[in-house]
Amino acid sequence: MTSSFKHLLSPITIGNKEIRNRVVSTAHGTGYAVDGKVSDQLIAYHMERARGGVGLIVMEATGVDSAPIGAKGGSYLRNSDDSVIPGYQRLAKAVHAEGTTVYTMLSHSGRNTVMGIDGTPPLAPSPVPFDRSRDIPRALEVEEIAGIVQAFAAAAVRSREGGLDGIELSFAHGNLVQQFLSPLTNFREDEYGGSEENRLRFAREVLQAVRKAVGDDFTLGIRFSADELVPGGYTIEDGTRYARMMVEWGRLDFVDVSAGTNGSMWSRAIHYPTIATPEKRLVPYAKAVKQAIDMPVFCIGKITDPAEAEGILAAGEADMVGMTRAHIAEPAIIRKLMEERHEDIRPCIHANEVCFGRKQRGGNVGCVFNPRTGREDKWERIEPTEDYRRVLVIGGGPAGLEAARVAAKRGHDVVLHEKASHLGGQVPLLSKTPHRRDYKIITDWLERQARRSGVLVRLGSEMTAEKVLAAKPDAVIVATGARDTRPRLPGAHLPHVYTAREALAGAPLGSRVLIGDWDGRNMGMSMAEWLAVRGHVVEIVSSAFRIGEDAELMTWHPAYERLMNLGVKLSAMEELVEITEDHAVIRLLNSDTREAACDSVVLCSRGSAENDLYHALKGQVPSLWLIGDAFTPRQLEQAIYEGAKVAREI
């Protein structure tokens, strides 16, 4: 055991089972289930984290009946009949073989979902709509409530029969139990509403039914929002009182403390923290609950640094620490800590672009930083190849760095040429904007790992086709990125008009700045915030329905709030069509135009692919690849993924 992490790496007994360390990968939707059942992909995903040394895995929120889980529905686990048991058994056997304990989370989303395609409404205590879908739920009948209680109990029995080590019941994030608890969502006038005692009745019945079903010798706990974090909701004072009662009713073995409700976009951006959220945001709620009950308490909330996790445990603020997205990025945190390989740990930056962002687009969980996440069943760990090649990588942005790193780890002789004086591509420049600084952590890590893997880096080296051919490589990876181009509109090349890169590099900007946003994600919002905090008067114009429409929702909401507080004028559904010496012409949705006075204009677009070298080399080298923005300007996710994919194929 490394002395710096003696608390984090020490075992703990939960229920009747010892867990090997104090780190938990908490329940999170993956999208890997198939027909509601455990898939090979899901087993491979959790196996990778078990091999990495995590103490406890809590599987994702699992439906106890036919009601969908989550706002998007999609692919999720369902424990509503015995068909789930064989998959549980396969997963439990695999994870146990690696020394990891595994629980499942049983849940019912209630109103936190959408109306079915056939018009089936969500179910809830009262007909109060979910702010994201605005579909009116149908209030549950008393006999339906009893049916859901029994569904929880039956699902718990199947979990035990499936060989899992315990159950965590979802009493958090605005799911059905919390909807009954909350005065914001429960307006019933029967025995399940009105008084606090009545609002707690459903929670009590679920706890008692589940405990009776599984017996006293099976581990049972709850994930609990100890404070709703919204005006009019229950508070931490209420939450600690509720926790004491719930522990007694369910004879619980642990309480996993969160806060907030998915029924509020504002709250979601806190309990699903973003790159702008302070570290350890929810730990005080766990500390408060721990002071109120005498049993193990888990904490969560943007805990990515093992040293911070150690500090939480050493201070007695919690007994186990959730490091979930940290393990999405780096499955082997514990193993690398034990091997004193701290610098090899990929640090999660909570970019949310792929973990939450892809899920919001109806996909499954991945990682912007670790392209193997979610592909564990298809991509083996990197092993040296016997087919040694001389590989030339041209371009030192994220795509080129990842390609060089992976190719070198596979044993190839890799030389990376970058025409600039530094590596990282656009990232070091864009990381100057507020709350984007941590993106440079990714490219810095990639650079360190590439160099440590044996990549020969040549900076200030602009390659031509003739130079490449003279080097006689076996394989060439072109990762030259995107050139900084301007949208085609009148006035785009006037002297007071700049691209985002030029502005960040120090272009002289006037007092009044108009931003034309063709990116639609974070670029325009980040530039607007960067300018506004420096005292510029800023307007941002986009033809999208809202500014930053394509940004991940949890990141978008606080960013939009900050822009409003800074006085940025947000002009959505409008289009910048012309720039003159002293104003910009903007076309409105109805095709009318208006003029906006400005001293400078900043154009935010993704540029165009820099692929001239690739075309010059086609047919001239044995193996040629084009990746990242040089293929087509997109996001960081695609750049790193393509770098890894190509390097695996050489």
Side-chain angles (χ1 to χ4, degrees):
M1 182 187 302
T2 60
S3 59
S4 299
F5 300 97
K6 63 181 181 180
H7 294 90
L8 195 67
L9 300 179
S10 66
I12 182 174
T13 298
I14 307 289
N16 59 4
K17 185 175 178 63
E18 184 178 86
I19 299 173
R20 61 181 170 180
N21 58 57
R22 305 297 183 99
V23 180
V24 52
S25 173
T26 62
H28 56 287
T30 62
Y32 304 152
V34 175
D35 297 326
K37 299 178 183 64
V38 172
S39 65
D40 290 342
Q41 184 182 18
L42 185 63
I43 292 174
Y45 172 79
H46 287 306
M47 272 287 290
E48 187 68 16
R49 280 126 195 99
R51 286 174 180 149
V54 70
L56 171 64
I57 289 170
V58 184
M59 294 169 63
E60 61 205 71
T62 301
V64 298
D65 61 14
S66 61
I69 290 289
K72 283 287 186 181
S75 181
Y76 57 90
L77 287 173
R78 185 183 300 110
N79 181 342
S80 57
D81 60 49
D82 289 352
S83 65
V84 76
I85 294 174
Y88 277 167
Q89 291 172 335
R90 287 198 303 129
L91 188 145
K93 181 179 179 181
V95 170
H96 287 159
E98 299 296 334
T100 295
T101 304
V102 58
Y103 302 163
T104 188
M105 174 187 274
L106 300 180
S107 183
H108 194 297
S109 290
R111 70 170 187 151
N112 287 355
T113 184
V114 297
M115 180 178 66
I117 196 71
D118 60 354
T120 303
L123 301 173
S126 302
V128 181
F130 173 42
D131 77 341
R132 189 166 164 191
S133 71
R134 295 166 296 282
D135 290 332
I136 304 295
R138 180 176 64 79
L140 286 158
E141 301 288 343
V142 171
E143 59 271 21
E144 291 178 306
I145 296 172
I148 293 174
V149 170
Q150 291 309 308
F152 270 101
V157 171
R158 287 187 287 269
S159 301
R160 180 166 188 163
E161 292 175 352
L164 304 181
D165 301 300
I167 293 166
E168 181 175 271
L169 301 174
S170 177
F171 286 17
H173 301 165
N175 290 322
L176 186 60
V177 172
Q178 188 174 340
Q179 291 162 35
F180 274 92
L181 284 178
S182 174
L184 293 173
T185 50
N186 186 344
F187 298 109
R188 300 178 72 96
E189 297 180 354
D190 59 10
E191 63 267 38
Y192 289 96
S195 68
E196 182 175 274
E197 179 183 2
N198 284 352
R199 287 188 284 108
L200 284 161
R201 189 180 305 277
F202 180 61
R204 176 168 57 81
E205 291 179 350
V206 169
L207 287 165
Q208 291 175 340
V210 170
R211 175 51 81 191
K212 181 179 179 181
V214 298
D216 288 333
D217 61 342
F218 193 67
T219 302
L220 176 62
I222 58 173
R223 169 169 272 195
F224 178 51
S225 281
D227 188 316
E228 286 204 275
L229 300 181
V230 289
Y234 65 79
T235 66
I236 186 61
E237 289 77 17
D238 302 314
T240 52
R241 187 171 65 257
Y242 298 163
R244 284 193 294 268
M245 290 186 278
M246 291 172 185
V247 166
E248 180 181 349
W249 292 333
R251 301 192 295 280
L252 298 180
D253 299 299
F254 69 91
V255 176
D256 181 358
V257 179
S258 184
T261 169
N262 285 345
S264 161
M265 177 66 79
W266 184 85
S267 174
R268 283 199 293 274
I270 297 174
H271 65 262
Y272 297 140
T274 72
I275 196 169
T277 305
E279 303 287 335
K280 305 185 293 183
R281 176 67 173 80
L282 301 182
V283 172
Y285 300 98
K287 180 180 179 181
V289 172
K290 182 168 172 56
Q291 291 171 346
I293 63 174
D294 184 21
M295 68 172 43
V297 167
F298 303 178
C299 70
I300 64 167
K302 199 172 182 180
I303 305 166
T304 56
D305 184 348
E308 287 187 341
E310 174 70 18
I312 291 167
L313 296 169
E317 295 173 306
D319 301 288
M320 291 198 75
V321 179
M323 300 183 69
T324 307
R325 273 183 280 176
H327 274 82
I328 293 175
E330 177 54 85
I333 292 173
I334 300 300
R335 177 162 50 82
K336 290 180 178 180
L337 284 180
M338 295 180 74
E339 294 173 357
E340 305 270 346
R341 295 166 53 206
H342 301 182
E343 286 195 356
D344 289 343
I345 296 172
R346 285 184 183 84
C348 171
I349 68 166
H350 287 78
N352 284 11
E353 290 184 13
V354 187
C355 48
F356 275 109
R358 189 190 290 168
K359 282 285 289 176
Q360 288 170 358
R361 299 192 299 272
N364 53 29
V365 160
C367 179
V368 69
F369 196 177
N370 185 352
R372 189 165 177 254
T373 294
R375 298 183 175 94
E376 292 89 351
D377 59 329
K378 299 180 179 65
W379 284 15
E380 297 293 332
R381 294 182 184 183
I382 298 171
E383 298 290 346
T385 179
E386 296 179 359
D387 188 10
Y388 165 88
R389 303 273 185 98
R390 290 172 298 163
V391 179
L392 206 62
V393 179
I394 304 166
L401 283 170
E402 176 69 354
R405 181 190 75 87
V406 174
K409 284 182 72 68
R410 293 190 63 226
H412 296 303
D413 181 7
V414 183
V415 181
L416 185 152
H417 292 266
E418 168 55 52
K419 68 179 180 180
S421 60
H422 64 273
L423 296 173
Q426 301 177 50
V427 171
L429 197 60
L430 298 179
S431 65
K432 292 182 178 182
T433 60
H435 307 294
R436 298 279 130 186
R437 179 185 61 190
D438 286 354
Y439 273 81
K440 196 170 181 296
I441 291 173
I442 294 178
T443 51
D444 286 349
W445 186 90
L446 290 173
E447 177 180 351
R448 287 196 307 272
Q449 293 296 313
R451 291 182 184 275
R452 290 181 64 181
S453 298
V455 175
L456 176 61
V457 176
R458 292 180 175 169
L459 297 175
S461 176
E462 185 168 3
M463 296 297 285
T464 63
E466 291 74 20
K467 290 180 180 179
V468 171
L469 295 174
K472 298 182 179 179
D474 299 309
V476 178
I477 302 172
V478 178
T480 42
R483 61 171 64 95
D484 199 15
T485 54
R486 304 178 184 217
R488 295 180 179 178
L489 73 159
H493 292 278
L494 287 171
H496 66 296
V497 180
Y498 306 99
T499 65
R501 291 191 219 176
E502 290 169 339
L504 289 169
L509 299 172
S511 175
R512 299 169 299 173
V513 181
L514 184 132
I515 296 174
D517 182 18
W518 283 267
D519 174 69
R521 291 180 181 255
N522 294 302
M523 187 190 303
M525 292 194 297
S526 294
M527 288 302 302
E529 187 174 3
W530 182 74
L531 290 165
V533 297
R534 282 161 175 73
H536 295 275
V537 177
V538 182
E539 177 179 2
I540 180 169
V541 176
S542 172
S543 61
F545 288 115
R546 65 173 187 264
I547 301 300
E549 179 179 11
D550 296 328
E552 180 272 323
L553 276 177
M554 260 70 81
T555 302
W556 169 84
H557 188 276
Y560 207 85
E561 183 179 344
R562 293 194 303 271
L563 293 178
M564 294 178 69
N565 290 338
L566 287 166
V568 174
K569 184 177 181 181
L570 305 164
S571 301
M573 294 189 289
E574 300 185 13
E575 184 179 3
L576 177 59
V577 294
E578 184 180 355
I579 304 169
T580 72
E581 292 181 357
D582 59 2
H583 69 267
V585 179
I586 297 166
R587 184 163 55 213
L588 310 181
L589 192 62
N590 64 356
S591 296
D592 287 348
T593 59
R594 67 177 176 90
E595 295 181 355
C598 55
D599 304 307
S600 301
V601 176
V602 175
L603 306 174
C604 292
S605 74
R606 301 177 194 176
S608 57
E610 181 65 83
N611 53 23
D612 293 346
L613 180 60
Y614 169 81
H615 290 293
L617 290 171
K618 283 190 72 173
Q620 304 296 311
V621 293
S623 180
L624 179 65
W625 308 85
L626 182 66
I627 62 173
D629 283 358
F631 182 67
T632 296
R634 288 153 296 158
Q635 310 305 127
L636 187 59
E637 172 194 358
Q638 291 80 27
I640 294 177
Y641 162 70
E642 289 172 3
K645 181 176 182 293
V646 163
R648 284 173 170 271
E649 294 175 359
I650 292 175

